[in-house]
Amino acid sequence: MERKNAWKIYGDADCAALEALSKRYRAFLDAGKTERECVREALKLAKARGFEDMRRATSVRPGDRLYMDWMGKALMLFVVGKAPMTEGLNIVGAHIDSPRMDVKQNPLYEEDDLAYLDTHYYGGIKKYQWVTLPLALHGVVAKKDGALVDIVIGEDDDDPVVGVSDLLIHLAAEQMGKKASVVIEGEQLNVIVGGRPQKDADEKEKAPVKAAILAILKEKYDIEEEDFLSAEIEVVPAGRSRDFGLDRSMIIGYGHDDRVCAYAQLEAIFGLEGAPEHTCLCLLSDKEEIGSVGATGMQARYFENAVAELMNLAGDYSELKLRRALAACRMLSCDVSAGYDPNFASCFEKKNAAYLGRGVCFNKFTGSRGKSGSNDANAEFIGRLRRVMDDTGVNFQTAELGKVDVGGGGTIAYICALYGMEVIDSGVAVLSMHAPWEIISKADLYEATRAYAAFLAKCR
Ligand code: MN
Ligand code: MN
């Protein structure tokens, strides 16, 4: 059964709403190129809409809006519902980390009159895509005295940018014969940051270019070389998202995976009016691209702890009630899907592919080969979702991540399913996923936002 292209049924009102939404999304995407920046942006938006710090609350009532920030890298936004929490929450969950290169702990060196930052890539990337691009540095440096220095270099028009060089084609005969996975190797992802020796450097100075870079870091940020030991600096594509296509139907940007779903979730929860039937949660998690590990990844316990805190504030907490609440939840694990690409048609199965412009996509299963690593959603739950979507007039499609046996991928769905709750993957189709610049359709962003809003307000 083929799903319709959403653009064909849009009237003027839809097109105007979709353009306005796309502008807000692009501003969010440009302001949040790291998980920390995303949490900061999301919090700013949430506070402006009346969300208050859960840690300061002493009780809650239906309709209350509360946030719980986890280490500045994960975020939960709750809207308290009328029903007891043991009836479960309606949850939309996305991740806000994206593939990139992380600066190593001991990164700065000089070689043959150029200064470099050594990196270790994060998430699944085609390394060859990350060379010859203007790149920016985003992150924090934690000083020994507890101060946290914010770094953003390469985003203002008159900022310098950095980057990784590639071999000129004239000398690349051997390189061009290599497999794509080793054309550029991990240890070659060295970011050029300077090429000008320090003026009046001592003749005995063996690394005058590096010395000049250190002098700049000292002057601008009060950072010493040793401070890299306690820094998190991410190397990401420099520059802003843009409208894509002569018809402006798409957006090209860094980090659509998974900030497009994260933003759709934010708009959905902000759009709730008053007190919903069930308590709603917008969950933004970190570290999905490396297996949802660490204290800010979905495998950590901050989510269930926050639900326990909320039940306690409602005066209705016990260990048993918490377990009942978690098991009774309904969740959309909102993550991007592989957009069908006619240029690589052989990797997709056309009846079960996600097409740009055909609306929000539901994935019953993800995973690889025999669905390994998948969350296989229950048919009964999908039936209930179809009803919510159709009643609201949401354009949706269903898909798998490529052909059986071609590859696969995972999300946070299987982790939340461990509580016994109903979960399904649902998201926006992306072209060039995990490339420095990814592409989505504005129509799919619009439908995802509508789908998540309908789910939060209406799913039973
Ligand atoms: Mn993802
Ligand atoms: Mn991903």
Side-chain angles (χ1 to χ4, degrees), residues 410-423:
T411 64
I412 61 170
Y414 73 98
I415 303 163
C416 301
L418 294 172
Y419 297 107
M421 67 176 73
E422 297 279 16
V423 195

Side-chain angles (χ1 to χ4, degrees), residues 65-81:
R65 280 146 169 80
L66 298 164
Y67 69 83
M68 174 75 88
D69 164 348
W70 196 247
M71 296 178 170
K73 295 179 177 179
L75 181 67
M76 289 160 283
L77 304 177
F78 291 93
V79 176
V80 180

